[in-house]
Amino acid sequence: MKITIGCDHRGFAVKKKIVDFVTGLGHEVEDCGAFGEEYSDYPDFAFAASERVGSRRSDRGILICGTSIGMCMSANKVAGVRAASCHDLVTAEMSRRHNDANVLCLSADLLGEEMMERLIRVWLETEFEGGRHARRVDKIMKYEADHRGK
């Protein structure tokens, strides 16, 4: 699977570890920055990574900022993206199983390295259930398509 990763300055310190972890799981990784710890604006990196996911140039994305909230809000503005901010294993699993989330947003300040790795593993390995959940995801995507640019 091709995974696009992005972070702001608050997520930079953990991004390399995440890149190494995801690569170690056998996935291809594209890094959209940030490329240093100087102050940066999370929307810039959320949009860059999410556009690759939304256009299907990448299968999924992982975004990291201080809380994960800003990245998630930004990512969800990109057509085709269903981003989820996950802080525990249940939300990571259910974001995939029921919501077909294609972008995982993580908190650099609130989660330790071990928990991030566990969340990423569960999120990457969990399949979308489809069925009644597909109908709901389809409604979200239809609304997005019908209201784009309005």
Side-chain angles (χ1 to χ4, degrees):
M1 197 176 332
K2 184 173 184 180
I3 312 296
T4 299
I5 295 183
C7 70
D8 67 358
H9 60 281
R10 301 260 307 269
F12 180 75
V14 297
K15 182 181 66 168
K16 182 178 180 349
K17 294 174 184 177
I18 290 173
V19 168
D20 291 344
F21 177 71
V22 171
T23 302
L25 293 175
H27 302 286
E28 176 186 350
V29 173
E30 179 181 9
D31 186 347
C32 287
F35 298 105
E37 292 183 340
E38 57 278 348
Y39 286 107
S40 58
D41 296 329
Y42 59 81
D44 297 335
F45 306 105
F47 296 149
S50 297
E51 285 175 2
R52 286 164 174 78
V53 175
S55 66
R56 298 185 180 178
R57 288 179 284 164
S58 190
D59 299 303
R60 296 204 202 152
I62 299 173
L63 300 172
I64 312 112
C65 69
T67 64
S68 79
I69 297 167
M71 284 290 198
C72 191
M73 292 171 66
S74 300
N76 277 314
K77 299 298 181 190
V78 176
V81 169
R82 293 173 305 282
S85 175
C86 298
H87 293 91
D88 58 54
L89 297 175
V90 173
T91 54
E93 178 183 347
M94 298 311 282
S95 75
R96 286 288 311 133
R97 190 174 305 288
H98 288 186
N99 308 111
D100 199 19
N102 54 9
V103 173
L104 172 65
C105 300
L106 298 172
S107 167
D109 295 345
L110 305 174
L111 300 170
E113 182 180 339
E114 180 183 334
M115 178 54 86
M116 283 190 196
E117 289 180 358
R118 292 174 67 200
L119 291 169
I120 292 166
R121 183 184 300 274
V122 164
W123 189 76
L124 290 173
E125 292 176 355
T126 301
E127 296 294 328
F128 178 50
E129 280 184 6
R132 70 183 191 278
H133 306 294
R135 183 181 73 245
R136 295 164 183 162
V137 171
D138 289 345
K139 285 183 178 186
I140 294 168
M141 302 311 290
K142 182 177 182 335
Y143 183 90
E144 176 184 82
D146 290 349
H147 294 83
R148 191 174 299 133
K150 289 185 180 181

